[in-house]
């Protein structure tokens, strides 16, 4: 099958499939021609931070009990790709799956505001696993990672999922395929074939699985990593082509798809004039869905300004009521009771209560039961969440929230935030603030410094394999969860 075949209907008209195929081909030409030397320095630095974040949050996820149990049940045949923090090397497919699920299990991986999801989480595990098993240099790896991010983010922007659909494992598979195709040295037509094939391998997961705390939501990312590897290999074999599949799967079946968005801002073949999607990313400081972050940020502000010096029990007594107004994407995250850590991470009442009581929203806190932390659950029941259509109207350029807190004695506090802290447009994390967040997460500043050293050494490496394989043996002692019943 010709890799760049464009379909027309019986009347010779170019319909949605043809438009999707044409834009996919154009995006693939850009990816195939991109040179690392042409990437602007600010974009290189942002990629560096995203890679640092990826390594750190994957290591944090790898040490959770759930991930340890998954690894114990998972076949890991001997190979050259690292399972981060697990002390083991395995074949790329197993490493990609295990690292992808570890990367997202604590809800700390970065994301893209306009992509409406997690480009790096989709693309990086597959690309890194494949690179570890091939003798490729650092510039090729950097180019493949950046390509994977940009392609995934552009497909995320182009896709409007149906209400209820979760973004894990569907539009982002295209980024994994594109990055792996670049690593394999495929020409533009085959890169397009890989991306188009990936668009035909989406997961149709329901958002309620995350709200219910079902870890199938993490598995969607693992499946996406495997599908990205498969799509690139199928393209390398020459058995697939570019037929505009995204118009049918991401469009007709899963929602809407606007192919023109794929190439919006691709101003030059070498990338020098490109509107880089990675520059509109956000980093997380809370172990929770990004839709909960503005409310958690406001809870920290409330704690610092009006509850300073109080114990957790005193805070629980002092807070009478908290009302959160937010946009339509965040408003459904209103459950005041949860079963398990993932469900907690998708609850605004949980994140507000955790931030107020403990001054942070940490991974370990989410696993606490009502018997272990009754005050946390009791305070969460005081939090109500509702949509304000005016705030919904600000999407996607702003992701706002307002909070009204009623304290003991009738004192009322009103707070607002336009974005989560860590967004590229709102208190963005440069290197040192991000390093501080990651050091707090891992409980080990020296470990973060070691990860930074690896990230810095990768672009100049003649063979990235040895550096990446070090990540299998890097571990850290978990930071203690905020403890004590309020």
């Amino acid at each position: 099958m010709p890799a760049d075949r464009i379909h027309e209907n019986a009347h010779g008209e170019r319909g949605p499939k043809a438009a999707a195929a044409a834009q996919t081909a154009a995006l693939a030409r850009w990816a195939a021609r991109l040179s690392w030397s042409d990437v602007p320095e600010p974009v290189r630095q942002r990629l560096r931070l995203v890679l640092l974040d990826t390594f750190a949050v994957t290591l944090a996820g790898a040490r959770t009990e759930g991930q340890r149990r998954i690894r114990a049940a998972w076949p890991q045949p001997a190979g050259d790709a690292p399972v981060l923090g697990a002390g083991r090397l395995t074949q790329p497919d197993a490493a990609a799956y295990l690292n992808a699920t570890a990367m997202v299990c604590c809800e700390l991986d970065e994301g893209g505001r306009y992509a409406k999801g997690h480009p790096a989480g989709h693309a990086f595990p597959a690309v890194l696993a494949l690179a570890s098993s091939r003798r490729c240099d650092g510039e090729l790896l950097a180019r493949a990672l950046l390509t994977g991010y940009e392609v995934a983010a552009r497909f995320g922007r182009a896709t409007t999922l149906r209400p209820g659909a979760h973004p894990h494992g569907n539009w982002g598979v295209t980024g994994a395929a594109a990055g792996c195709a670049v690593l394999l040295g495929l020409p533009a037509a085959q890169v397009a074939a890989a991306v188009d094939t990936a668009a035909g391998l989406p997961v149709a997961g329901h958002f309620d699985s995350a709200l219910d705390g079902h870890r199938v939501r993490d598995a969607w990312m693992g499946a996406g990593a495997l599908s990205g590897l498969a799509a690139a290999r199928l393209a390398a074999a020459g058995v697939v082509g570019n037929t505009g599949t995204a118009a049918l799967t991401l469009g007709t079946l899963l929602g809407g798809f606007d192919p023109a968005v794929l190439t919006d801002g691709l101003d030059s073949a070498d990338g020098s004039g490109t509107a880089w999607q990675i520059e509109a990313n956000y980093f997380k400081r809370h172990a929770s869905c990004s839709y909960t972050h503005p409310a958690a940020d406001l809870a920290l502000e409330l704690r610092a300004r009006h509850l300073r010096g109080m114990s957790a029990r005193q805070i629980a007594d002092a807070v009478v009521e908290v009302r959160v107004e937010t946009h339509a994407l965040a408003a459904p995250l209103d459950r005041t009771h949860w079963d398990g850590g993932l469900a907690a991470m998708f609850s605004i009442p949980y994140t507000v209560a955790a931030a107020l009581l403990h001054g942070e929203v940490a991974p370990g806190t989410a696993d606490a039961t009502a018997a272990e932390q009754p005050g946390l659950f009791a305070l969460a029941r005081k939090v109500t969440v509702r949509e304000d259509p005016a705030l919904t109207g600000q999407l996607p350029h702003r992701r706002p929230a307002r909070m009204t807190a009623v304290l003991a004695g009738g004192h009322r506090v009103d707070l607002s935030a336009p974005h989560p802290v860590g967004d590229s447009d709102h208190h963005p994390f440069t290197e040192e603030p991000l390093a501080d967040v990651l050091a707090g997460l891992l409980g080990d500043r020296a470990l973060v410094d070691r990860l930074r050293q690896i990230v810095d050494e990768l672009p100049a490496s003649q063979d990235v394999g040895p550096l990446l394989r070090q990540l299998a043996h890097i571990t850290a002692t978990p930071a203690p969860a905020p403890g004590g019943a309020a």
Side-chain angles (χ1 to χ4, degrees):
M1 177 187 296
D4 58 353
R5 181 178 176 187
I6 306 295
H7 281 282
E8 297 177 343
N9 64 20
H11 304 288
E13 297 168 338
R14 291 163 62 89
K17 286 174 61 180
Q23 294 298 317
T24 297
L27 182 58
R29 287 193 295 272
W30 171 85
R33 296 172 184 169
L34 182 64
S35 169
W36 183 241
S37 63
D38 293 321
V39 175
E41 186 60 25
V43 177
R44 293 188 184 200
Q45 291 304 314
R46 186 64 60 88
L47 176 65
R48 177 175 171 274
L49 294 184
V50 173
L51 188 56
L52 173 63
D53 183 78
T54 295
F55 289 158
V57 302
T58 304
L59 287 171
R63 68 190 183 193
T64 63
E65 176 60 23
Q67 286 297 309
R68 284 194 289 266
R69 291 166 65 181
I70 290 171
R71 292 195 300 271
W74 214 263
Q76 298 172 61
D80 294 326
V83 181
L84 269 67
R88 186 170 181 87
L89 302 175
T90 186
Q91 293 180 358
D93 298 63
Y97 186 94
L98 293 170
N99 290 333
T101 56
M103 182 176 174
V104 302
C105 73
C106 292
E107 263 300 306
L108 280 161
D109 52 308
E110 68 85 58
R113 183 198 321 156
Y114 296 109
K116 307 175 290 291
H118 303 270
H122 279 98
F124 283 19
V127 172
L128 291 167
L130 184 61
S132 298
S133 63
R134 297 176 61 85
R135 191 174 181 84
C136 71
D137 63 43
E139 288 197 4
L140 177 58
L141 173 60
R143 201 179 117 224
L145 291 169
L146 184 58
T147 296
Y149 193 103
E150 293 296 308
V151 169
R154 286 174 177 276
F155 269 85
R157 291 190 69 160
T159 302
T160 302
L161 294 172
R162 294 186 187 280
H166 195 285
H168 274 17
N170 39 65
W171 50 258
V173 180
T174 58
C180 290
V182 167
L183 273 182
L184 294 175
L186 301 186
Q190 286 177 288
V191 174
V195 171
D196 185 81
T197 302
L201 296 169
V203 171
H206 200 285
F207 211 103
D208 274 9
S209 292
L211 303 184
D212 294 339
H214 199 316
R215 288 291 177 179
V216 68
R217 171 263 185 194
D218 300 343
W220 297 335
M221 279 301 218
L226 293 181
S227 291
L229 283 165
R233 290 166 178 158
L234 291 169
V239 299
V240 293
N242 172 23
T243 62
T245 302
L248 303 178
T249 53
L250 301 177
T252 305
L253 294 178
L254 289 179
F257 184 73
D258 181 0
V261 174
L262 297 182
T263 56
D264 184 34
L266 288 183
D267 296 330
S268 62
D270 63 7
S272 60
T274 294
W276 297 94
Q277 303 305 301
I278 200 170
E279 292 192 298
N281 84 320
Y282 58 82
F283 293 107
K284 290 184 169 187
R285 64 171 176 164
H286 308 303
S288 61
C289 172
S290 68
Y291 296 158
T292 73
H293 282 215
D297 292 336
L298 295 177
L300 291 179
E301 185 178 347
L302 175 66
R303 174 187 167 102
R305 289 171 51 183
H306 300 279
L307 304 170
R308 181 183 295 275
M310 292 188 183
S311 68
R313 186 176 299 277
Q314 290 171 326
I315 290 172
D317 292 338
V319 176
V320 176
E321 179 186 7
V322 177
R323 297 190 295 271
V324 176
E325 296 173 294
T326 186
H327 53 79
L329 297 176
L333 279 59
D334 62 352
R335 299 187 186 186
T336 57
H337 185 85
W338 52 90
D339 294 311
L342 184 63
M345 294 172 189
F346 280 81
S347 163
I348 289 176
Y350 158 75
T351 58
V352 168
L356 288 174
L357 292 180
H358 302 307
E360 62 177 339
V361 184
T365 315
D367 292 323
T369 65
E372 293 166 336
Q373 289 209 34
L376 179 69
F377 283 75
L379 183 53
R381 289 193 293 271
K382 298 179 182 181
V383 181
T384 58
V385 183
R386 75 172 186 88
E387 179 197 355
D388 181 341
L391 299 184
T392 299
Q394 298 181 34
L395 294 172
H397 304 293
R398 290 161 65 98
R399 297 180 293 152
R402 290 196 298 266
M403 176 180 288
T404 298
V406 179
L407 305 181
H411 180 55
R412 170 175 164 155
V413 180
D414 293 302
L415 302 168
S416 64
H419 288 292
V421 170
D423 187 273
S424 56
D425 285 342
H426 185 63
H427 302 295
F429 289 163
T430 53
E431 181 164 353
E432 290 310 317
L434 178 62
D436 290 341
V437 169
L438 299 178
L441 168 66
L442 295 172
D444 189 337
R445 184 59 185 241
L447 171 56
V448 175
D449 291 340
R450 177 62 187 131
L451 294 177
R452 284 204 280 190
Q453 182 181 2
I454 292 174
V455 170
D456 288 341
E457 291 176 1
L458 277 170
S461 175
Q462 295 301 305
D463 179 3
V464 299
L467 279 172
L468 293 177
R469 286 190 282 275
Q470 291 182 28
L471 296 167
H473 305 287
I474 291 179
T475 58
T477 302

